[in-house]
Amino acid sequence: MPAPNTPPAPDPMVTVISWCTGDYKYLADGLSQDCRRWGYPFHLYEIDRTYPDLVQAWCNHPRIIRQGVLDHGTVLFLDVECRIVRPLPASWQPPLVSVRQPAQPFWITYNTGTVMADTSCLDWLDAWIRVIDQWQMETLPGTAYIRWPNDICDELAFHAAVAALDVKLNKVALEYEDRTRPAGIARGLWKNDHTIVQHPTLHHWVKEADPEECKKLFVQNYAGRPEDAEALFSTDQGIVRTDGWQFDTSARTYAPDLFEQHPRPWLDKAVVLTSAQR
């Protein structure tokens, strides 16, 4: 009989899959390590193509998921930057998708960075791809947006497909704002007792220069308490490294260790995260 608090054995029938272009392959190292740790097969699809914006990249998700189902059967698709911090619960069964928390309008209810599917899902995966093609989403101009450039994202096409086919989805909460709220997925590199998967956004750091957007990325992706890091800049301690970040308290700049060659100016004012943002 297993000892108390022993993690459940992983389901050997679930293969974790992801995809990337060559520039982002290094981000898969963490997810690959997690799969080895928890005993899940892992397959990374490497794509030899350039994606000039996020919309085009998002539109590739259903094609990868469909191929993964054909290749491996039951799959859990995760964005390449994701981390698995606890074994997948038995309740995670296809068709499954993550749902933004706090709730958003219908067009951005879901986040397709976490999708579980099997052969029973091929009809709605095909419908998802069809909608993307019929709406020509991969060729949308940068001027097509609701809140900020290129935010008419693939989740809208996903919602259209599953709604048209009346698919009964299993849904996992993806928490953006409240680190204490129960949710299976954390939008960032933090966790609580309910977190199964972390869905970071750290890779945006390199191309983001706006101080407010950079601070949002920091708040999402700082494993410690953001308010503790705030306090560092009230002192002059030179360079301080903690929780995967580097803070230059003298120059008042900071950066994740992963991208320390891209420091950004520290912004004193508080920022507000919303589940409508990337």
Side-chain angles (χ1 to χ4, degrees):
M1 185 173 182
N5 301 320
T6 300
D11 183 349
M13 301 303 290
V14 176
T15 298
V16 177
I17 64 170
S18 191
W19 75 274
C20 67
T21 59
D23 290 346
Y24 292 99
K25 185 177 180 180
Y26 70 97
L27 292 173
D29 291 345
L31 182 55
S32 178
Q33 292 169 14
D34 296 338
C35 288
R36 288 195 296 272
R37 176 188 181 190
W38 300 116
Y40 299 112
F42 175 64
H43 185 83
L44 180 67
Y45 291 92
E46 297 181 48
I47 307 300
D48 184 17
R49 178 181 167 186
T50 299
Y51 292 87
D53 58 52
L54 288 173
V55 172
Q56 290 191 24
W58 279 323
C59 288
N60 200 40
H61 284 4
R63 306 181 201 280
I64 294 295
I65 298 168
R66 188 183 191 281
Q67 189 61 51
V69 167
L70 295 178
D71 292 342
H72 304 287
T74 302
V75 298
L76 174 64
F77 168 78
L78 296 174
D79 274 352
V80 69
E81 200 173 4
C82 285
R83 303 300 304 266
I84 303 174
V85 298
R86 289 185 177 88
L88 306 178
S91 59
W92 284 31
Q93 295 291 328
L96 177 144
V97 69
S98 59
V99 178
R100 295 165 188 262
Q101 187 172 274
Q104 285 293 304
F106 77 91
W107 66 272
I108 199 167
T109 296
Y110 305 109
N111 182 291
T112 56
T114 304
V115 177
M116 185 178 278
D118 60 14
T119 53
S120 71
C121 302
L122 289 173
D123 284 347
W124 63 259
L125 288 169
D126 287 338
W128 183 4
I129 294 168
R130 242 182 354 261
V131 172
I132 287 173
D133 290 343
Q134 290 175 358
W135 289 356
Q136 298 181 314
M137 293 192 71
E138 290 182 279
T139 59
L140 283 176
T143 54
Y145 64 91
I146 295 174
R147 292 178 185 265
W148 61 86
N150 277 332
D151 77 334
I152 299 182
C153 57
D154 182 49
E155 280 79 4
L156 179 58
F158 171 86
H159 198 151
V162 298
L165 296 181
D166 196 25
V167 178
K168 305 305 180 187
L169 294 167
N170 292 312
K171 301 170 185 177
V172 180
L174 169 61
E175 176 57 42
Y176 278 68
E177 299 178 19
D178 188 344
R179 294 188 175 203
T180 67
R181 191 181 298 171
I185 307 171
R187 183 59 157 170
L189 287 171
W190 54 270
K191 63 181 178 181
N192 59 34
D193 291 343
H194 304 276
T195 308
I196 307 300
V197 168
Q198 295 168 323
H199 188 166
T201 56
L202 200 56
H203 71 278
H204 293 299
W205 183 269
V206 175
K207 295 181 180 179
E208 184 58 71
D210 180 81
E212 187 165 349
E213 292 302 316
C214 287
K215 192 167 184 183
K216 289 179 183 179
L217 291 174
F218 163 71
V219 173
Q220 283 184 320
N221 296 286
Y222 185 61
R225 299 187 338 144
E227 55 267 34
D228 292 344
E230 297 259 4
L232 289 174
F233 285 101
S234 65
T235 66
D236 186 347
Q237 306 176 53
I239 294 177
V240 178
R241 293 182 183 271
T242 180
D243 289 298
W245 287 73
Q246 173 182 291
F247 304 89
D248 188 332
T249 60
S250 300
R252 293 186 60 79
T253 61
Y254 70 123
D257 288 345
L258 191 60
F259 305 122
E260 63 179 29
Q261 69 274 32
H262 299 282
R264 304 294 186 230
W266 176 255
L267 183 70
D268 284 319
K269 79 170 188 176
V271 294
V272 177
L273 300 180
T274 74
S275 57
Q277 68 195 46
R278 65 187 175 198

